[in-house]
Amino acid sequence: MVIRHAELETVCGITSRLPENTKPEVAFSGKSNVGKSSLINGLLNRKSLARTSSQPGKTQTINFYNVNRELYLVDLPGYGYAKVKQEIRAKWGRMIENYLHRSEQLKAVFLLVDIRHEPSANDKDMYDWIVHQGYDPIIIATKLDKIKRSQVQKQLKILREGLKTGPDTRIIPFSAETKQGREEIWEIIGGYVEEASV
């Protein structure tokens, strides 16, 4: 997809009302340090539209990025970061649940997991939770450039078995460095945009 326009349009905190968008939305969920901001910047060909941080747990809001005025990329708060108080984590959980439940334009949820490691308990919980909300998560296996090419298939198998994914669940290896996987992700998103415009 050619990115002609990209901006952070709406930021929703714990007490904010969700925007009533009329364009398709695709959401990105993942652990705090899995590379969500780097993925969004990579998809949008921007260096720092989504702020990356060496301090995990930075995204504490739901951020809506308007792309080409025809769809929204939605960045959900990162989960699983121990230094955030339990009470705030619970509020984030409710905020995400509220969004997954109420958005009328949400077409797909992408779950980011680190290709180098077995899925954590939080990753498994999030996967099950997204499924429970009625979505078939599309897995993005980040940090692809950090492993050897010969290890890729083995690591993907570990992710698939660890998350207990369905046989049709898509797993896309992605590197923020080389942008491998970017076209595949846009192909999926583009399909939802086309459906919406019919």
Side-chain angles (χ1 to χ4, degrees), residues 62 76-77 92-101 126 129:
I62 300 179
L76 300 175
W92 288 357
R94 286 197 293 278
M95 182 164 74
I96 296 170
E97 185 171 23
N98 181 41
Y99 169 69
L100 293 181
H101 231 58
M126 194 67 193
W129 195 46

Side-chain angles (χ1 to χ4, degrees), residues 26-197:
V26 293
F28 296 88
S29 175
K31 236 175 6 195
S32 297
N33 55 353
V34 76
K36 236 168 355 91
S37 299
S38 299
L39 169 75
I40 289 170
N41 287 328
L43 288 174
L44 298 176
N45 284 332
R46 299 290 192 276
K47 281 225 162 32
S48 56
L49 185 60
R51 266 175 293 194
T52 56
S53 170
S54 55
Q55 185 190 342
K58 201 75 177 153
T59 305
Q60 301 179 8
T61 51
I62 300 179
N63 298 334
F64 291 78
Y65 294 91
N66 184 327
V67 183
N68 293 349
R69 298 185 177 86
E70 58 185 12
L71 81 137
Y72 289 91
L73 302 189
V74 182
D75 184 9
L76 300 175
Y79 56 80
Y81 186 53
K83 282 193 185 169
V84 175
K85 284 184 185 157
Q86 184 67 40
E87 170 197 347
I88 294 175
R89 283 213 303 265
K91 283 182 179 168
W92 288 357
R94 286 197 293 278
M95 182 164 74
I96 296 170
E97 185 171 23
N98 181 41
Y99 169 69
L100 293 181
H101 231 58
R102 296 198 169 185
S103 169
E104 294 185 2
Q105 295 296 334
L106 182 60
K107 305 300 179 191
V109 183
F110 291 86
L111 177 61
L112 281 66
V113 288
D114 189 327
I115 197 167
R116 299 171 299 177
H117 310 298
E118 277 189 48
S120 67
N122 282 314
D123 290 328
K124 293 173 188 175
D125 286 347
M126 194 67 193
Y127 178 84
D128 292 342
W129 195 46
I130 295 167
V131 170
H132 184 67
Q133 299 293 334
Y135 295 93
D136 183 12
I138 300 150
I139 311 300
I140 299 178
T142 62
K143 306 186 191 277
L144 176 63
D145 47 280
K146 308 275 194 237
I147 63 171
K148 294 188 179 122
R149 192 173 286 189
S150 59
Q151 296 174 296
V152 173
Q153 289 311 316
K154 178 184 148 216
Q155 292 306 116
L156 291 178
K157 186 166 185 266
I158 288 169
L159 291 184
R160 198 174 274 288
E161 288 173 355
L163 293 171
K164 298 187 170 65
T165 65
D168 298 330
T169 301
R170 288 185 73 167
I171 302 186
I172 303 169
F174 176 80
S175 163
E177 296 292 316
T178 67
K179 303 292 187 289
Q180 185 177 332
R182 180 180 185 273
E183 293 308 314
E184 209 176 328
I185 295 165
W186 269 124
E187 204 176 295
I188 294 169
I189 297 171
Y192 297 115
V193 176
E194 275 174 34
E195 273 173 32
S197 63

